[in-house]
Amino acid sequence: MFLKNAWYVAAWAEEISWGLNSVRMHGEQIVLFRKPDGTPVALEDACPHRKLPLSKGRLQGDRIECGYHGLTFDCSGRCIRAPGQKAIPPGAFVRAYPTLERWGLVWIWMGAPGRADPARLASIEHYGDPAWGINRGEAIELDCHYLLVTDNLLDPSHVAWVHRDSFGERSCEDTPLKTAATDAGIVVYRWMKDVEVAPFYSSFVRFKGRADRLQRYEVRYPSLAIIEAIFTPAGTGGEGAALHPEAFVMESYNFMTPVDEGRTRYYWFQLRNFAPESAEVSRQMTQAVRDAFEEDRLILNAVQRGMTGSQTPHIDLALDLGPLRFRRGLNQLIAAEEQARGEAKPVT
Ligand SMILES: [Fe+2]
């Protein structure tokens, strides 16, 4: 069960060129294409006649012709042509999903079309800022429920164990976490004082010596994670401290799309407050992040298998507070959505 009234990433913008693309989200098969003016369109990927995926048909301007018998659909999902008969059959339509293109990504609104609101997409403060660099890589496919990924992205502790050679160092094992609820989701964070700069960051941090380090992990409902990393010379960091001129700041944006209950597609990019033009820094960051996320992917796929096939109960730890609060908050939103849907149905 997923929160429906929300935007989810369907693809990188450049993945949707001029043909028909089939994507799976929330267990629903969707055909995605562009109108001649470039606007993305998303329709149910199944002809109402014999359910041939429309993505196996032909795109003609801003219309799709089914590859089996030529039923033709416009961008609203309405059948406008049924070859061989005069009247369009009354059930000849497919579902149309609202779309949006922003931050190099194509988004689909999975809920009631009338509720689709572009303002619901969070803003990204430093995206497109000439003083900030950006790096990104291909989407990651995971064989797990997307909430195992949001658990992971509200869990700064795991870097000590999963990412020993990149994001982690010793102080990540024991420094206590703080957890806060916001209107949009949950934040888990901690300042670690006078620590080593962890390996991933050491080639990018401009100052020498030890550091104060912030790990700030935020997940907003239903599936946007913003991970902020700050390294600042030891003695200059901490809550409320002004940002030191030599501070390293990296903001990692993570967008999880549930493919279905057991699979997730995970899009990501990082913004950094230095070397904005450097393709080499971007390349190094992308490779380092890709390697680290591969460590997560292997763990999360195995956790999914472990939890699915478990023979004994599982336990929670203190570090699970943030992830569990997020799941509770999300469940409340899903329940409210269900209730509203029930109330909207006519009483028979
Ligand atoms: Fe991780």
Side-chain angles (χ1 to χ4, degrees), residues 220-243:
R220 298 184 187 171
Y221 304 120
S223 68
L224 161 64
I226 306 165
I227 311 291
E228 185 180 23
I230 296 180
F231 286 85
T232 183
T236 67
E239 269 181 70
L243 197 63

Side-chain angles (χ1 to χ4, degrees), residues 115-252:
R115 301 277 308 275
D117 179 3
R120 291 275 296 276
L121 217 51
S123 57
I124 297 185
E125 188 186 352
H126 295 115
Y127 191 94
D129 182 336
W132 286 63
I134 185 166
N135 68 281
R136 49 177 237 188
E138 59 290 334
I140 302 164
E141 308 270 344
L142 295 109
D143 292 325
C144 70
H145 194 284
Y146 95 92
L147 289 176
L148 289 184
V149 188
T150 56
D151 286 352
N152 176 272
L153 293 171
L154 280 170
D155 169 19
S157 306
H158 83 276
V159 302
W161 318 102
V162 180
H163 310 301
R164 273 174 194 279
D165 302 322
S166 54
F167 300 140
E169 50 83 40
R170 284 198 63 113
S171 52
C172 297
E173 294 181 12
D174 285 325
T175 310
L177 298 164
K178 293 185 177 175
T179 303
T182 70
D183 288 345
I186 299 292
V187 184
V188 180
Y189 65 101
R190 61 184 170 187
W191 271 101
M192 293 171 285
K193 298 296 186 63
D194 194 15
V195 300
E196 292 283 332
V197 176
F200 173 92
Y201 307 96
S202 58
S203 55
F204 305 116
V205 167
R206 287 166 290 183
F207 60 86
K208 298 268 177 276
R210 293 171 70 82
D212 293 340
R213 174 183 185 178
L214 172 71
Q215 282 183 300
R216 184 182 187 279
Y217 285 38
E218 175 179 6
V219 184
R220 298 184 187 171
Y221 304 120
S223 68
L224 161 64
I226 306 165
I227 311 291
E228 185 180 23
I230 296 180
F231 286 85
T232 183
T236 67
E239 269 181 70
L243 197 63
H244 188 276
E246 289 192 312
F248 164 103
V249 183
M250 186 174 91
E251 294 169 356
S252 183

Side-chain angles (χ1 to χ4, degrees), residues 305-333:
R305 290 194 297 275
M307 292 289 272
T308 305
S310 72
Q311 306 288 311
T312 49
H314 71 272
I315 59 163
D316 296 318
L317 301 173
L319 57 83
D320 293 309
L321 182 67
L324 291 174
R325 281 178 82 175
F326 180 81
R327 284 174 178 255
R328 264 201 307 277
L330 182 68
N331 283 340
Q332 285 168 2
L333 292 175

